[in-house]
Amino acid sequence: MKTFAATLAGASRNQDRYVTGDGFAAVLDGATSVAGDRSHDPGWYAEQLADTIKQTVPQGDSLAGAVEEAIRAVRDAHGLTPETTPTSTVALARWSDDTVEMYMLGDSYGVIFYADGTEAVHTDDRLDCVAVNERAAYRKRLAEGHGYDDGHRALMLDLQAEQARRRNRPSGYWIAGAQPEAARHGITSVDRRAGVSALVLASDGVDPARHPDATTWRDLYEEANEYGPARTLHRIHDAETDDVDGRRWPRSKPHDDKTLLAIELGCHEAT
């Protein structure tokens, strides 16, 4: 088995974190607050949660249970409250001789590569169903060439305000924060270990569409495997630099943090 990972800040602070352990790995993406109204830095929260997940996963509970317990432990240790606590995605994978499990809470990515050349991309896209009009408004404005100015910031404040109203609610979306029960709403999948050759976990700043050569996640994985994941992240970052005003790829900020973690499992025959 081979594990390789890299992370790249989009701006001055990197709010992504990743963690690996015996038979599991996770990527967490702390959510930036445009208003700056969180009690702690999102990267701090993602780090606290990642460190605690490293302790809870080996206890053998379900992945949702491990994340729930980690959220509870961080909340209780630091007196966090839902109104002001930063939030974070959780992309968590666990594997054994028999199974490969993938758990997604929030819009990070988990990709399973099979020995037959196919791949399965897992994500939690429920956030895309929230604040649809606000998201369309800022993307339209970027596509028109207005760039990342004060008008864009105002639209992002509107977007995040609407997201906050729908956070960790049945009619909205679910994310790690100060409400442990949110973890129960993560999306879990289980595959047979036989035929799985590799896994990738990534924050949403990693997008094959913004890579100069890649068209699939396997393309990203193979480049990262051959040349190192840092090169892959920098190539996406550099492509974004050529789209400085977000016109080609309308996105919330010029550069998001990027984390890519890959596990080469090798082929495993069924027993």
Side-chain angles (χ1 to χ4, degrees):
M1 190 184 75
K2 172 184 174 184
T3 299
F4 46 98
T7 187
L8 177 66
S12 59
R13 292 184 178 181
N14 190 340
Q15 295 168 343
D16 287 0
R17 298 293 188 272
Y18 67 88
V19 64
T20 61
D22 184 13
F24 69 92
V27 164
L28 295 86
D29 179 357
T32 301
S33 170
V34 177
D37 58 356
R38 300 295 89 188
S39 61
H40 297 76
D41 179 76
W44 171 89
Y45 176 75
E47 184 167 343
Q48 299 301 312
L49 191 59
D51 289 346
T52 310
I53 285 172
K54 191 170 184 177
Q55 299 171 26
T56 58
V57 171
Q59 295 173 8
D61 199 354
S62 67
L63 294 183
V67 175
E68 180 176 358
E69 181 55 34
I71 294 172
R72 179 177 294 107
V74 173
R75 179 199 66 184
D76 294 348
H78 301 283
L80 304 179
T81 62
E83 294 77 19
T84 61
T85 298
T87 59
S88 176
T89 69
V90 180
L92 174 59
R94 180 168 63 186
W95 56 93
S96 67
D97 287 343
D98 300 316
T99 61
V100 173
E101 300 168 83
M102 195 73 74
Y103 172 89
M104 311 301 301
L105 184 66
D107 58 351
S108 292
Y109 293 101
V111 188
I112 299 177
F113 299 102
Y114 300 98
D116 64 4
T118 60
E119 62 187 54
V121 181
H122 299 268
T123 191
D124 176 0
D125 62 1
R126 287 171 288 190
L127 183 60
D128 291 342
C129 300
V130 172
V132 173
N133 293 336
E134 289 83 356
R135 186 176 296 105
Y138 91 71
R139 288 179 173 174
K140 178 177 183 293
R141 194 171 184 276
L142 286 172
E144 292 170 348
H146 297 285
Y148 296 97
D149 60 2
D150 289 343
H152 176 77
R153 184 177 186 277
L155 291 175
M156 291 305 301
L157 288 169
D158 291 343
L159 172 74
Q160 292 195 343
E162 179 60 20
Q163 289 174 338
R165 285 189 285 270
R166 305 282 296 280
R167 183 184 302 130
N168 290 338
R169 296 176 180 273
S171 61
Y173 70 104
W174 303 93
I175 200 77
Q179 295 164 281
E181 62 274 15
R184 303 172 197 167
H185 299 273
I187 299 171
T188 302
S189 65
V190 181
D191 275 66
R192 294 181 62 200
R193 171 70 176 81
V196 175
S197 59
L199 308 172
V200 158
L201 300 173
S203 59
D204 68 338
V206 181
D207 186 347
R210 296 200 292 271
H211 188 281
D213 298 318
T215 57
T216 67
W217 282 97
R218 186 175 289 275
D219 293 336
L220 293 186
Y221 168 75
E222 290 179 349
E223 179 184 86
N225 194 10
E226 183 171 359
Y227 299 105
R231 166 174 163 157
T232 301
L233 300 185
H234 278 285
R235 294 189 75 193
I236 297 172
H237 187 96
D238 291 346
E240 292 171 343
T241 300
D242 292 336
D243 182 39
V244 66
D245 59 2
R247 185 179 299 190
R248 179 179 179 186
W249 297 304
R251 55 200 186 276
S252 62
K253 47 194 168 184
H255 300 289
D256 200 354
D257 302 331
K258 300 170 180 63
T259 298
L260 179 67
L261 188 158
I263 305 100
E264 184 182 52
L265 295 174
C267 291
H268 184 80
E269 298 297 329
T271 57

